Amino acid sequence: MIADRLFGEPDAASSEALDRHLAQCEDCRRTLAGMEAALGVASMRTRPEPDAATWASFDARLGERLRDERVPQRTRVLWLRARPWAAAVAFLGLGLVLGRTVLAPVPAAPDAPSAVQTVAGDVLERTTAYLDRSRLLLLDIAHSEGGTDDPAALDLPRRSRIARELVTEAADLGEALSAADERRLRALVADLESILAQLAALETGLDLPGLELVRSEVESRALLFRIDIERLRAAEPRQTRSRTRNDA
Amino acid sequence: MTAAPLENAEFRRLVETHRQRLYRLAIDLTGDHDEAQDLLQEVFVRAWRGLDAFRGEADAATWLRRITVNTFLNTRRSARLELVRLESDGSAPEPAAPEPARDPADARRIQEAIARALDGLSPGERTAFVLRHYQELAVLEVARAMGVAEGTAKSLLFRATHKLAGRLAHLQTETLS
């Protein structure tokens, strides 16, 4: 209710309820007064305004950065529409590539894995274990009670500690995955690393907004789904996996 | 032969119409002129890449604001990642303790105190506060720009203002009385 009062969107009923509470609660009166005063001080902030020379230099730098950029997507599609033969050649080429990769017969499995395969296998095992641990932590976060008033029930310090360990592990794992040319797994571990770093850096108290941001990020990047897909792939025979590992 | 992005009339108009307003948002978020310019460069590069997706939308200002907020938060996440790595190595720098403004009547010191107080907020808190207090968006618009629920935006605003009250308390009585 204090937030509604401060940020200008209270309804009449909650405003009256807040006034009744404030009449009896010295702590809340002091908190509200302190926050209103802080907003007053914060309003005294000034900003520099760039002059024409600054914008000219900005434009020059932007032009330089954009020099090698391609034209936006729709323009390319329109170009293909304008030249049907170009579209036909593009689709024919795509068909050839797909035919040679996806539809090619799977070679017979060798009797013993090569040294390269053994190293790659070790990295994949470590990654699977890493994904399992990350998945458990993210599921725990996703299913925790966002509205709880009990900091102990959330146990953020424990979760932050686990997240910190996983962030440290992700750095080593990322390098190993790059060396093994596992680009999709590398991208997933990098995304996890970013989320886990946020979790590790949550304040030790009841940082519910911080936790909500982490949840929203887990959802928007479809992390749990992507982990499940990779766990399924990990169960595939290695030959199939090597053909599909960097698709997408 | 296709024209360079800044020779594209539509994109050029987009940059010239919105850069001043976006610069204000960028400097509110970053607190630093050079960093604000870097952020703005990145925003316009992303805008160029996504120009096609935007063409169907009505409100360029909302679209660009959302790119700015996302780019800022992503940059801060990367920075935070580095900090967590440093802490894991045991080599994290100690955060600088806020210095009280010794002379509250000194405008420069007041500006520095406000800047330090804003720097003490988390990226999410700062973004919510800047969008509501300096960019004057409604709470629902703040939530939309950040891609969070309205309740989360309110919580971030409350926490931000509460922290600022603690950090600016030494200025409040003398400056505002």
Side-chain angles (χ1 to χ4, degrees):
Chain A
M1 283 194 291
I2 287 181
D4 287 334
R5 171 70 55 91
L6 284 171
F7 305 116
E9 296 169 356
D11 59 55
S14 61
S15 194
E16 281 173 23
L18 179 62
D19 285 338
R20 279 197 302 275
H21 176 75
L22 289 173
Q24 298 167 356
C25 179
E26 166 117 28
D27 279 350
C28 285
R29 276 203 306 276
R30 199 179 305 125
T31 299
L32 180 59
M35 290 169 81
E36 283 172 338
L39 290 176
V41 174
S43 296
M44 297 167 71
R45 180 172 166 274
T46 57
R47 318 175 176 100
E49 292 289 339
D51 55 18
T54 306
W55 285 125
S57 145
F58 177 87
D59 285 351
R61 198 172 139 213
L62 183 60
E64 187 69 22
R65 278 200 67 186
L66 289 171
R67 197 179 51 193
D68 298 327
E69 287 283 328
R70 295 179 175 193
V71 290
Q73 191 70 27
R74 183 196 282 177
T75 314
R76 286 200 297 270
V77 173
L78 288 175
W79 182 83
L80 284 176
R81 275 190 200 151
R83 295 167 176 75
W85 57 268
V89 169
F91 283 117
L92 188 62
L94 183 64
L96 278 171
V97 171
L98 285 175
R100 286 191 176 183
T101 53
V102 177
L103 302 177
V106 178
D111 292 338
S114 68
V116 172
Q117 281 176 326
T118 307
V119 171
D122 289 346
V123 174
L124 293 179
E125 275 174 28
R126 276 175 60 202
T127 309
T128 305
Y130 179 83
L131 292 181
D132 283 345
R133 287 183 68 202
S134 302
R135 180 174 175 275
L136 284 176
L137 182 61
L138 295 184
L139 278 174
D140 189 36
I141 296 292
H143 295 154
S144 60
E145 282 294 321
T148 183
D149 290 328
D150 178 9
L154 277 168
D155 198 3
L156 280 183
R158 183 180 63 86
R159 289 171 171 164
S160 293
R161 181 178 49 75
I162 296 170
R164 196 172 297 266
E165 290 168 8
L166 288 167
V167 166
T168 309
E169 196 180 336
D172 291 339
L173 201 53
E175 286 176 19
L177 286 168
S178 295
D181 199 26
E182 290 282 353
R183 279 168 283 168
R184 192 176 49 217
L185 276 176
R186 172 75 191 97
L188 175 57
V189 168
D191 277 357
L192 278 169
E193 191 180 9
S194 161
I195 295 292
L196 293 166
Q198 289 177 61
L199 202 53
L202 286 182
E203 294 179 15
T204 49
L206 188 60
D207 192 353
L208 291 178
L211 201 58
E212 166 82 17
L213 281 172
V214 170
R215 279 199 197 103
S216 132
E217 193 79 4
V218 169
E219 199 178 317
S220 71
R221 297 194 192 193
L223 282 176
L224 287 168
F225 174 72
R226 287 165 64 196
I227 290 175
D228 286 342
I229 292 287
E230 292 306 333
R231 290 167 85 227
L232 283 173
R233 284 183 189 278
E236 289 176 3
R238 187 164 297 159
Q239 285 73 27
T240 311
R241 183 183 171 77
S242 66
R243 276 197 290 110
T244 59
R245 66 187 174 185
N246 291 321
D247 296 348
Chain B
M1 185 74 183
T2 310
L6 283 178
E7 289 163 21
N8 174 310
E10 183 186 6
F11 185 66
R12 177 96 214 166
R13 193 165 49 249
L14 195 77
V15 171
E16 289 179 350
T17 306
H18 296 282
R19 66 185 178 193
Q20 186 80 32
R21 191 183 48 78
L22 286 177
Y23 171 81
R24 292 190 191 115
L25 172 59
I27 201 161
D28 287 347
L29 291 170
T30 62
D32 177 82
H33 171 74
D34 291 337
E35 214 182 325
Q37 293 244 329
D38 288 345
L39 174 58
L40 215 50
Q41 291 273 334
E42 194 58 38
V43 168
F44 283 122
V45 169
R46 290 179 188 207
W48 169 253
R49 289 176 187 155
L51 192 59
D52 187 64
F54 160 69
R55 280 178 184 137
E57 296 185 19
D59 189 355
T62 305
W63 178 62
L64 289 167
R65 182 168 61 224
R66 178 131 195 179
I67 296 177
T68 309
V69 166
N70 284 341
T71 308
F72 168 72
L73 287 173
N74 285 335
T75 310
R76 288 297 150 109
R77 279 177 196 130
S78 304
R80 191 177 279 200
L81 184 62
E82 286 305 310
L83 185 62
V84 168
R85 279 184 182 150
L86 281 173
E87 284 172 347
S88 302
D89 294 345
S91 53
E94 286 294 315
E99 282 177 33
R102 293 185 189 89
D103 180 9
D106 181 333
R108 188 175 59 82
R109 285 188 180 280
I110 291 173
Q111 292 301 318
E112 288 171 359
I114 296 170
R116 273 196 303 273
L118 288 170
D119 286 346
L121 303 179
S122 75
E125 290 163 354
R126 182 173 187 140
T127 304
F129 186 79
V130 158
L131 290 172
R132 177 69 188 95
H133 193 65
Y134 293 126
Q135 302 288 317
E136 300 181 346
L137 298 190
V139 176
L140 186 59
E141 290 177 291
V142 172
R144 283 182 183 151
M146 295 182 71
V148 298
E150 191 177 0
T152 303
K154 272 186 195 168
S155 296
L156 288 166
L157 283 167
F158 182 86
R159 289 166 60 95
T161 314
H162 196 257
K163 280 187 184 176
L164 291 176
R167 285 165 193 176
L168 296 173
H170 61 285
L171 289 176
Q172 290 168 12
T173 47
E174 295 168 68
T175 313
L176 296 177
S177 61

